[in-house]
């Protein structure tokens, strides 16, 4: 914080543990972090595999409240709806280790594009659910880019970026890696750090320390700031 002159807050999920995803309960912890951070510039250090779109929308609403000067720092990964959260920033900070990913939603682990593009009859309720899920994700990503990172950019350019991230024509797998250079080539505003950059090494060290804490104390998520530290336990494994 002394070096960047920005408040640093952390949303870290242990991505190696199944079931640790963005959910409806995260907004309570995010509110604690943001209230403690005050109204000044903020860096959000983010790590997540993604999760619920409604929960993501609430987090983005909180992060955008008051038109905060927000950067999103990705030391390792922010996949799926984690990438959507990254779009709430005015800039994404990335390095060699960083990855974003496609934002196409799925229903019961089935990509909605497969449902919508099926060549055999599909249950009409499932088809409508798939269409609404895709519409919600694309609208959220479009609104974030248009209001934040790409404010003032031609709407066609924004639509093209969202179309690439939300479809399967550019990225054929939901797990596809969008690294720093590719994110910049897409049109996102990316601050790219070299591996030996001193500030970047500090971000990576902090990320490693938080991940180590997750393992040591059995945390699924850690929400951290200079004044607040909150832990969410890992999901309990199903009983016998």
């Amino acid at each position: 914080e002394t070096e960047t002159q920005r408040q640093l807050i952390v949303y870290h999920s242990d991505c190696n543990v199944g079931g640790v995803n963005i959910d409806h309960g995260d907004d309570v912890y995010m509110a604690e972090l943001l209230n403690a951070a005050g109204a000044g510039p903020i860096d959000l250090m983010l790590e997540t595999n993604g999760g619920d779109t409604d929960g993501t929308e609430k987090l983005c609403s909180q992060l955008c409240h008051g038109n905060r000067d927000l950067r999103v720092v990705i030391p390792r990964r922010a996949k799926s709806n984690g990438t959507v959260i990254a779009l709430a920033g005015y800039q994404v900070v990335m390095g060699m280790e960083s990855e974003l990913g496609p934002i196409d939603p799925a229903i019961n682990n089935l990509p909605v594009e497969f449902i919508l593009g099926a060549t055999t009859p599909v249950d009409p309720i499932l088809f409508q659910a798939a269409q609404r899920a895709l519409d919600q994700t694309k609208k959220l990503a479009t609104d974030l880019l248009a209001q934040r990172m790409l404010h003032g950019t031609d709407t066609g350019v924004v639509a093209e970026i969202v179309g690439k991230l939300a479809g399967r024509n550019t990225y054929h797998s939901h797990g596809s890696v969008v690294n720093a250079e590719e994110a910049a080539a897409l049109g996102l505003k990316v601050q790219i750090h070299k591996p030996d950059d001193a500030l970047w090494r500090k971000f990576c060290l902090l990320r490693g320390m938080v991940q180590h804490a997750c393992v040591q104390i059995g945390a699924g998520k850690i929400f951290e700031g200079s004044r607040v530290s909150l832990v969410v336990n890992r999901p309990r494994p199903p009983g016998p």
Side-chain angles (χ1 to χ4, degrees), residues 211-229:
Q211 174 60 24
H212 179 72
C214 278
V215 175
Q216 290 299 110
I217 65 177
K221 301 175 190 175
I222 291 180
F223 295 80
E224 188 85 24
S226 60
R227 301 176 181 87
V228 176
S229 183

Side-chain angles (χ1 to χ4, degrees), residues 23-231:
D23 60 41
H24 289 274
D26 289 343
D27 64 313
V28 176
Y29 306 104
M30 183 61 73
E32 291 282 348
L33 290 181
L34 292 172
N35 288 334
I42 290 177
D43 284 341
L44 167 65
M45 196 171 85
L46 177 65
E47 181 155 337
T48 177
N49 284 328
D52 178 73
T53 302
D54 290 339
T56 298
E57 193 166 348
K58 179 62 178 291
L59 292 177
C60 290
S61 174
Q62 291 175 303
L63 291 166
C64 294
H65 180 74
N67 197 30
R68 296 176 184 272
D69 178 4
L70 175 71
R71 296 191 309 185
V72 181
V73 183
I74 314 294
R76 185 183 179 218
R77 64 168 64 168
K79 304 291 281 185
S80 190
N81 272 328
T83 294
V84 175
I85 292 176
L87 303 183
Y90 285 105
Q91 190 176 51
V92 184
V93 181
M94 303 178 71
M96 177 190 68
E97 305 90 337
S98 310
E99 62 172 298
L100 302 173
I103 62 174
D104 55 310
I107 295 177
N108 297 328
N109 295 318
L110 186 63
V112 296
E113 189 164 301
F114 292 0
I115 299 171
L116 298 175
T119 56
T120 55
V122 174
D123 180 275
I125 301 301
L126 179 62
F127 186 91
Q128 289 184 58
Q131 186 63 64
R132 296 299 174 265
L134 182 60
D135 290 346
Q136 180 187 19
T137 295
K138 292 178 74 171
K139 181 180 185 302
L140 177 57
T142 298
D143 289 348
L144 289 171
L145 285 174
Q147 295 167 14
R148 309 281 286 180
M149 189 182 297
L150 299 182
H151 179 69
T153 301
D154 182 82
T155 56
V157 173
V158 173
E160 182 179 359
I161 294 170
V162 172
K164 289 178 178 178
L165 287 172
R168 285 295 174 99
N169 291 327
T170 302
Y171 302 105
H172 305 306
S173 166
H174 190 65
S176 293
V177 174
V178 180
N179 64 22
E181 289 76 16
E182 190 161 359
L186 274 174
L188 304 183
K189 292 185 178 178
V190 183
Q191 183 182 110
I192 302 176
H193 286 259
K194 294 181 178 179
D196 59 353
D197 178 84
L199 177 61
W200 183 248
R201 296 321 309 160
K202 290 177 182 178
F203 281 132
C204 290
L205 176 61
L206 177 59
R207 181 263 160 201
M209 293 171 65
V210 176
Q211 174 60 24
H212 179 72
C214 278
V215 175
Q216 290 299 110
I217 65 177
K221 301 175 190 175
I222 291 180
F223 295 80
E224 188 85 24
S226 60
R227 301 176 181 87
V228 176
S229 183
L230 304 162
V231 172

